[in-house]
Amino acid sequence: ATAIDGHQMARQGRGGVALATAALGSFFAGCVATAVVALFGPLLVNVALSLRPADYFSVMVAGLVTAIALGSGSVPRSVVMVLFGILLGLVGRDPNSGVPRMVAIPYLDDGINFVALIMGLFGIADILSNLSHPQYRIAMEGAINKLMPSRKDVRDAAPAVLRGTLIGSLCGLLPGSGVTLGAFGAYTLEKRIAKDPSRFGKGAIEGVAAPESANNAAAQTAFIPLLSLGIPGNPVMAVLVGAMIVHGIAPGPLLMDQHPRLFWGVVVSMWIGNLMLVIINLPLVGIWVKLISVPYRMLFPAIIVFCALGAFSLNSSYFDVIVMLIAGLAGYALKRLNFEPAPLVLGFVLGPMMEDHLRRALLISRGDPMVLFQQPVSATFLTIAVVLMALLLMPRIRKNRESVFTETE
């Protein structure tokens, strides 16, 4: 969303102003959203500790349905990807009985390596996609004349930053494409409330300030459901869940009590990261621009090597590298067929967790599935999931669902 007006500003010789506005807006929004995480994250722990297994299962079901609703892809395709991700997550030995499930070869006894799958879907698949659609990468010609915004630029951008921060902070709490939804939602709002909407798409500074602020705020508040409930709201959070599990840390409501240094370390690192965002970006704009001129033929071999090293290093297993390559080919095929890999990742991460909580709930109720509807919290979230799916089937909702992602005019 930022590139819509940011590119036009660069063509007008105001690329430095656009970059500085994006950096400063992201810094402000990130600091505010980090404060929200620090204040409300611990408060949600008490709520999370009162949830029962049936409640957790229903929350995760509602989260997956919400991710489908807020995603930019086709609803049937997203549902298919979520179900496929859940199936992949269940590959391996049953955690209770130890019986192999969907295991064709011994290497899969412990399940599919999460890191190898992620690097294949998002690393190798992107390389194949870029190689199949070659584009000219030309460095920006000419020097950036002006870096810092003028007083008028600040007056125009400040309200957009505040509105973008609010929208992004709320969108980050939602599972699915919260960052993307926040960015395009903030851009759309600025365009609709502007006195002269025709300026947008032609270099309006509000079109840079609002989406950049929203996207960074959403990236910060997305940590709240992860750190308090253990539920990842987007693929990035899913990767962090995998990283925690690799290190023997169980994300969820007990994380703040058992690993307080980790939680507050994450919060402090957010502030440090936002500060470094400004320190690194503003003085080094010229260097970042020159990176555009690096030929892709020199980049993609290095990316493949690092992906392979990352997949191999976890278990020192060549099989994980093979899994990464297969996932890369599958990810490329999915993109060509217009299937989004993000719902697959969410299903892969949440599937085993959903199974675990469902089995606990059924054990407590002695096999009675009505336990999912007898608990108020569980029944509420299941109702939300059903209502969302019903809304998605309505023609008018289906027609307008992706408008916020395609608002580029």
Side-chain angles (χ1 to χ4, degrees), residues 78-101:
S78 296
V79 172
V80 170
M81 294 305 290
V82 166
L83 295 177
F84 187 56
I86 292 174
L87 286 176
L88 290 179
L90 299 180
V91 172
R93 292 189 176 274
D94 184 281
N96 294 326
S97 65
V99 175
R101 300 184 300 189

Side-chain angles (χ1 to χ4, degrees), residues 270-282:
M270 291 181 186
W271 269 309
I272 296 174
N274 280 294
L275 178 61
M276 295 303 297
L277 174 73
V278 175
I279 294 175
I280 292 177
N281 273 307
L282 294 185

Side-chain angles (χ1 to χ4, degrees), residues 58-70 78 82-83 86 175 231-232 343 345-348 350-351 354 389:
S58 300
V59 168
M60 293 178 186
V61 171
L64 287 177
V65 174
T66 307
I68 295 171
L70 297 179
S78 296
V82 166
L83 295 177
I86 292 174
I231 300 176
V345 175
L346 293 177
F348 182 84
L350 291 181
M354 291 171 60
M389 288 303 299

Side-chain angles (χ1 to χ4, degrees), residues 267-353:
V267 172
V268 172
S269 72
M270 291 181 186
W271 269 309
I272 296 174
N274 280 294
L275 178 61
M276 295 303 297
L277 174 73
V278 175
I279 294 175
I280 292 177
N281 273 307
L282 294 185
L284 302 178
V285 166
I287 295 178
W288 306 138
V289 170
K290 291 181 180 179
L291 289 177
I292 304 174
S293 62
V294 177
Y296 195 67
R297 66 178 182 274
M298 298 174 61
L299 287 178
F300 83 83
I303 297 173
I304 294 176
V305 170
F306 282 116
C307 286
L309 288 174
F312 177 81
S313 62
L314 287 177
N315 300 314
S316 299
S317 171
Y318 291 105
F319 180 74
D320 290 338
V321 179
I322 296 174
V323 169
M324 179 195 73
L325 296 175
I326 295 175
L329 294 173
Y332 173 67
L334 291 173
K335 285 189 175 184
R336 294 297 300 269
L337 296 173
N338 295 323
F339 283 85
E340 291 291 332
L344 184 149
V345 175
L346 293 177
F348 182 84
V349 173
L350 291 181
M353 299 168 65

Side-chain angles (χ1 to χ4, degrees), residues 127-170:
I127 290 174
L128 294 175
S129 179
N130 289 335
L131 292 177
S132 63
H133 298 86
Q135 298 177 353
Y136 293 103
R137 290 172 170 82
I138 304 174
M140 187 182 299
E141 297 180 359
I144 297 176
N145 299 321
K146 187 178 179 182
L147 179 61
M148 298 305 296
S150 64
R151 290 185 179 182
K152 182 181 183 303
D153 292 330
V154 173
R155 287 196 302 268
D156 293 339
V161 169
L162 294 174
R163 288 187 288 265
T165 300
L166 176 61
I167 293 174
S169 298
L170 295 175

Side-chain angles (χ1 to χ4, degrees), residues 103-142:
V103 175
I105 54 179
Y107 293 104
L108 293 175
D109 279 352
D110 295 328
I112 297 174
N113 187 302
F114 178 78
V115 175
L117 179 68
I118 287 294
M119 289 187 174
L121 287 176
F122 294 101
I124 305 301
D126 279 349
I127 290 174
L128 294 175
S129 179
N130 289 335
L131 292 177
S132 63
H133 298 86
Q135 298 177 353
Y136 293 103
R137 290 172 170 82
I138 304 174
M140 187 182 299
E141 297 180 359

Side-chain angles (χ1 to χ4, degrees), residues 2 26 29 164-165 168 178-180 182-183 186 209-220:
T2 307
S26 293
T165 300
V179 173
T180 305
E212 272 303 296
S213 302
N215 113 15
N216 206 37
Q220 312 293 324

